[in-house]
């Protein structure tokens, strides 16, 4: 027995394993390290995100947790608003119904309006709910118990959005005259801003109290001051349905859809009791898009 064998026998078992591993790895040669960076959106798009959201600017952040709160028997949910205590209001059509969803409880009918669609909701600091109905262009105010306080006829056809500013003033985005209305606490309505567009689809408020309005016609994002003056912030080239403002007051996100977005819900109604070969005709009649922002 040579000295090397004696040494191995007296050594701890872990040392023997280490020696064998070194002996096996020696012929393979040295291993080099590599470095790479992932910083742009294109880098992260190659992966499959799980539990994270990829921002337009490139960085990733923790994604939102999705939880089903309510499954209505209505065909659409057009508007959602949150109130005090975690209460959520949801409105749809075609029955002009608004539902109330309290934490940990099933949804219950809250109120109904006379028109078939409720396209806009807002909740004030006292928990009162405001609902904008279409067609007909009315704004309703309901107490937290569901009792109607007032109803105002705006003389518009559509109420697309309702938005409070930092002072509690309520504004309504309307069509088909492309106006922004100021809704008084007594239910009165007056024109705050009259655009050259057909519709004002969405509203948001920046940190300085200015309105950011998305228009349908030329697809513009307008900044409207409290005195009614305006400037063009962006030209989206589509129909902006949602505007988001960051903490620094800058425009951060705009939800844009194609002109056919509002025509899609009519497709199943138009195709009822028809044969499949009629589909191309219906598709062209409604000018539907298959490759735009709608899908």
């Amino acid at each position: 027995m040579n000295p090397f064998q004696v040494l191995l026998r007296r050594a701890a078992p872990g040392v023997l394993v280490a020696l064998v591993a070194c002996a096996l790895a020696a012929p393979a040669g040295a291993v080099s390290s590599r470095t790479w960076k992932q910083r742009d959106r294109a880098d992260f798009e190659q992966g499959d995100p799980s539990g994270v959201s990829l921002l337009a600017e490139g960085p990733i952040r923790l994604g939102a947790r999705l939880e089903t709160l309510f499954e209505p028997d209505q065909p659409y949910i057009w508007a959602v608003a949150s109130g005090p205590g975690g209460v959520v209001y949801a409105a749809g059509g075609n029955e002009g119904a608004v539902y109330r969803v309290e934490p940990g409880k099933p949804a219950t009918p809250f109120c109904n309006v006379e028109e078939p669609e409720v396209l806009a909701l807002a909740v004030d600091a006292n928990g009162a709910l405001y609902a904008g109905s279409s067609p007909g262009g009315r704004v309703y105010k309901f107490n937290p118990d569901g009792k109607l306080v007032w109803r105002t006829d705006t003389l518009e056809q559509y109420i697309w959005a309702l938005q409070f500013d930092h002072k509690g003033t309520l504004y309504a985005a309307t069509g088909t005259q492309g106006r922004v209305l100021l809704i008084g606490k007594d239910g009165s309505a007056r024109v705050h801003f009259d655009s050259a567009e057909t519709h004002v689809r969405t509203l948001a408020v920046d940190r300085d109290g200015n309105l950011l309005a998305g228009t349908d016609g030329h697809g513009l994002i307008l900044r409207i001051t409290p005195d009614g003056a305006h400037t063009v912030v962006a030209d989206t080239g589509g129909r902006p349905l949602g505007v988001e403002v960051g903490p620094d007051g800058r425009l951060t996100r705009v939800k844009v859809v194609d002109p056919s977005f509002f025509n899609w819900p009519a497709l199943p109604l138009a195709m009822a009791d028809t044969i499949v070969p009629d589909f191309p005709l219906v598709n062209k009649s409604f000018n539907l898009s298959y490759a735009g922002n709608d899908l």
Side-chain angles (χ1 to χ4, degrees):
M1 182 179 297
N2 60 48
F4 182 67
Q5 291 176 320
V6 175
L7 178 61
L8 289 181
R9 287 182 177 179
R10 294 179 179 177
V15 176
L16 176 59
V17 173
L19 290 174
V20 174
C22 292
L24 294 176
V31 178
S32 61
S33 62
R34 292 184 300 168
T35 301
W36 70 92
K37 296 179 180 180
Q38 289 181 271
R39 60 179 62 178
D40 298 324
R41 181 183 178 88
D43 299 330
F44 294 103
E45 284 180 337
Q46 305 303 316
D48 184 14
S50 177
V52 296
S53 297
L54 178 58
L55 305 185
E57 299 82 4
I60 60 174
R61 66 181 180 186
L62 289 177
R65 183 170 63 92
L66 299 181
E67 178 183 356
T68 301
L69 297 179
F70 175 43
E71 295 186 14
D73 56 2
Q74 298 287 317
Y76 313 107
I77 291 295
W78 294 116
V80 176
S82 60
V87 173
V88 175
Y89 295 96
N94 297 314
E95 299 177 0
V98 179
Y99 299 89
R100 177 185 173 99
V101 186
E102 297 185 48
K105 298 181 180 180
T108 57
F110 180 72
C111 63
N112 281 81
V113 301
E114 297 179 13
E115 293 72 35
E117 310 286 349
V118 176
L119 303 179
L121 293 174
V123 180
D124 66 16
N126 297 318
L129 177 72
Y130 299 76
S133 65
S134 301
R138 288 173 173 167
V139 177
Y140 295 76
K141 178 181 179 180
F142 296 92
N143 278 332
D145 60 1
K147 181 180 179 180
L148 177 66
V149 179
W150 49 253
R151 181 193 67 187
T152 183
D153 293 307
T154 65
L155 304 181
E156 304 286 346
Q157 286 297 310
Y158 299 95
I159 305 296
W160 293 114
L162 294 171
Q163 177 67 54
F164 284 99
D165 66 7
H166 303 315
K167 297 180 179 180
T169 303
L170 180 63
Y171 296 92
T174 72
T176 57
Q177 301 299 316
R179 295 168 177 157
V180 176
L181 305 181
L182 191 154
I183 308 298
K185 296 185 181 302
D186 58 352
S188 60
R190 65 176 178 86
V191 177
H192 175 70
F193 174 74
D194 192 348
S195 72
E197 301 285 76
T198 307
H199 300 272
V200 178
R201 295 278 189 178
T202 183
L203 293 173
V205 178
D206 66 17
R207 65 178 180 182
D208 297 323
N210 302 309
L211 290 174
L212 286 171
T215 70
D216 184 353
H218 293 88
L220 304 178
I221 303 297
L222 307 175
R223 177 174 280 110
I224 306 171
T225 63
D227 61 2
H230 79 283
T231 55
V232 177
V233 177
D235 184 346
T236 67
R239 288 181 171 179
L241 294 188
V243 177
E244 182 178 299
V245 181
D248 59 356
R250 296 188 303 171
L251 181 66
T252 55
R253 290 180 179 84
V254 178
K255 168 61 178 176
V256 180
V257 300
D258 291 324
S260 70
F261 178 80
F262 290 98
N263 298 342
W264 276 101
L267 184 63
L269 301 178
M271 290 292 293
D273 300 324
T274 62
I275 58 178
V276 173
D278 289 340
F279 178 77
L281 176 62
V282 175
N283 173 41
K284 293 299 182 182
S285 299
F286 284 91
N287 191 29
L288 301 179
S289 168
Y290 293 93
N293 298 311
D294 304 350
L295 304 179

